[in-house]
Amino acid sequence: MNKQEIISLLKSDGAELFKAADEVRKKYVGDEVHLRGLIEFSNICKRDCLYCGIRSSNKNVERYRLSKEEILDFAQKAIDYGYKTLVMQSGEDGYFTAEILADIIKKIKPSTGIAITLSIGERSPDEYKMLKDAGADRFLLRIETTDEELYKQMHPHMSLEKRKQCLYDIKSAGYEVGTGCLVGLPGQTIESLANDILFFKELGADMIGIGPFIPHKDTPLADAPGGSFELALKVMAVTRLILPDINIPATTAMETLNPNGRLIALQSGANVVMPNVTEGDYRRKYELYPGKICINDTPAKCRGCISGKIHSIGRTVSEGKGFRRKANV
Ligand code: 5AD
Ligand code: FES
């Protein structure tokens, strides 16, 4: 598919696109939905992304950092709930050096065999390697936008080039690599979203997470219009058509904009859900955007809730670790 074709799909009314993406999903990755248990282990971040609620300039955030014991406790509970993958996500928190994280991974991995995904931001090639050697399997780092001008505006003191380099470093280190973009950033065009999708293919991503931008009141984008659920869903569906065998989550941000957002996404190309396994008040404090779902719920509740929803649309919860199975496409 070329850029013009992607653009016309993104401009189409969507119904046929969603159906086509659902069929491709079924053909290439089947009816199983992979669940990934998400631990938000620190909301301390040195970056200042204009859209993000935990940006360093936001002084209204109650910052927290889980102790090693708490992380291990949440990890064990996630395993007990039946999760086969753990996603360890945080702001870019310098306290968690590669050594400290490697130590935690080594305490979780060998005894449990659970797959570990990291989502901790930009690091050096050596750190990516060290964490891979410690036992991490996958790494998520969204490109956010491939529009150079927009990237610069949204990310003070950061560069698109560096971000891309990190993604290639992650790949070279041997991880399954996940990236993705925000949809509806101020000034973002349909053409630039088409370029984002082409970049996912160029990188050879194994996982793509796409979510609508949701304005947060304590950020410079408080009064920006925000992204639409429909357009985010279209970007996701086109991504499924172009990369038929990858893993695509139905993102939490989609459910924030539409009470049935995750189920609709699962029926429009998605095959993964990432329920939160962080406990207590930490959920509320990890506020990337307002209206985040499940902030008062428990890991047990979310696990049961999401399984029920998945079964309600005739799909099953996978018993496997959900690595990408590459197809010949
Ligand atoms: N709205 C939606 N998604 C956001 N993220 C950060 N801030 C927001 C927001 N205001 C997303 C980014 C990041 C992911 C963890 O959360 O894309 O990569
Ligand atoms: Fe958390 Fe439904 S997934 S309550």
Side-chain angles (χ1 to χ4, degrees):
M1 210 184 298
N2 65 33
K3 200 198 290 190
Q4 270 324 312
E5 289 167 317
I6 297 176
I7 290 174
S8 58
L9 279 178
L10 294 177
K11 288 182 172 166
S12 73
D13 92 323
E16 273 178 54
L17 166 64
F18 301 145
K19 191 160 169 280
D22 194 42
E23 282 164 9
V24 168
R25 182 273 308 157
K26 190 175 172 72
K27 175 167 173 208
Y28 285 87
V29 296
D31 281 338
E32 287 191 333
V33 176
H34 301 286
L35 298 186
R36 325 286 201 199
L38 174 68
I39 301 183
E40 297 157 336
F41 67 91
S42 166
N43 69 355
I44 297 173
C45 192
K46 66 178 183 206
R47 304 288 187 186
D48 214 17
C49 309
L50 265 68
Y51 46 79
C52 186
I54 64 167
R55 66 200 300 268
S56 54
S57 296
N58 183 5
K59 303 301 173 209
N60 296 332
V61 184
E62 291 171 58
R63 303 283 171 176
Y64 72 86
R65 186 180 272 151
L66 299 194
S67 68
K68 193 193 273 176
E69 291 68 35
E70 283 174 301
I71 297 174
L72 294 177
D73 178 43
F74 291 167
Q76 186 53 53
K77 284 178 176 156
I79 292 162
D80 296 341
Y81 291 122
Y83 289 104
K84 305 290 189 284
T85 295
L86 203 59
V87 180
M88 294 176 54
Q89 187 175 83
S90 68
E92 289 201 22
D93 180 353
Y95 167 83
F96 285 101
T97 58
E99 285 79 8
I100 292 181
L101 287 169
D103 183 50
I104 295 171
I105 294 167
K106 284 180 192 160
K107 290 213 158 58
I108 300 172
K109 185 74 194 240
S111 56
T112 65
I114 194 168
I116 294 180
T117 303
L118 296 175
S119 177
I120 56 172
E122 297 186 11
R123 299 273 172 150
S124 71
D126 284 347
E127 289 175 282
Y128 288 138
K129 277 200 205 82
M130 180 192 253
L131 294 165
K132 181 75 184 58
D133 290 343
D137 302 278
R138 311 188 179 113
F139 205 104
L140 305 178
L141 182 74
R142 286 191 182 170
I143 193 80
E144 314 293 0
T145 174
T146 57
D147 179 324
E148 204 153 347
E149 234 355 87
L150 184 59
Y151 190 95
K152 250 195 245 151
Q153 283 171 25
M154 293 294 122
H155 307 101
H157 314 296
M158 295 175 77
S159 88
L160 178 61
E161 198 191 343
K162 173 84 201 304
R163 192 98 174 156
K164 285 187 178 170
Q165 188 55 51
C166 283
L167 283 163
Y168 283 103
D169 293 342
I170 290 165
K171 249 193 118 166
S172 306
Y175 293 90
E176 277 203 344
V177 50
T179 186
C181 63
L182 283 166
V183 175
L185 288 170
Q188 193 178 34
T189 61
I190 294 285
E191 185 184 358
S192 99
L193 289 167
N195 287 330
D196 294 352
I197 298 172
L198 290 170
F199 171 72
F200 303 156
K201 187 170 166 77
E202 181 188 311
L203 172 69
D206 300 295
M207 306 167 283
I208 294 294
I210 286 154
F213 154 60
I214 303 171
H216 188 295
K217 69 172 181 11
D218 297 326
T219 67
L221 301 182
D223 298 323
S228 90
F229 174 73
E230 280 277 312
L231 185 57
L233 202 63
K234 285 182 194 170
V235 174
M236 189 201 78
V238 175
T239 301
R240 169 60 74 199
L241 297 184
I242 291 186
L243 293 165
D245 60 356
I246 63 165
N247 285 319
I248 300 184
T251 57
T252 309
M254 288 199 182
E255 187 110 340
T256 301
L257 291 192
N258 182 316
N260 260 323
R262 287 176 301 176
L263 284 192
I264 295 170
L266 285 173
Q267 293 173 299
S268 312
N271 69 321
V272 171
V273 181
M274 296 165 59
N276 203 323
V277 297
T278 319
E279 287 188 40
D281 230 20
Y282 300 128
R283 286 185 180 219
R284 178 181 60 77
K285 293 180 184 165
Y286 200 84
E287 191 187 54
L288 306 180
Y289 49 81
K292 191 183 163 204
I293 59 166
C294 308
I295 54 170
N296 295 314
D297 294 309
T298 61
K301 162 110 188 285
C302 290
R303 171 77 203 200
C305 165
I306 199 65
S307 301
K309 288 186 181 201
I310 289 166
H311 292 136
S312 79
I313 55 166
R315 304 271 281 279
T316 57
V317 173
S318 166
E319 287 293 322
K321 290 184 198 168
F323 285 99
R324 176 186 184 188
R325 272 180 304 216
K326 280 193 183 164
N328 288 320
V329 283

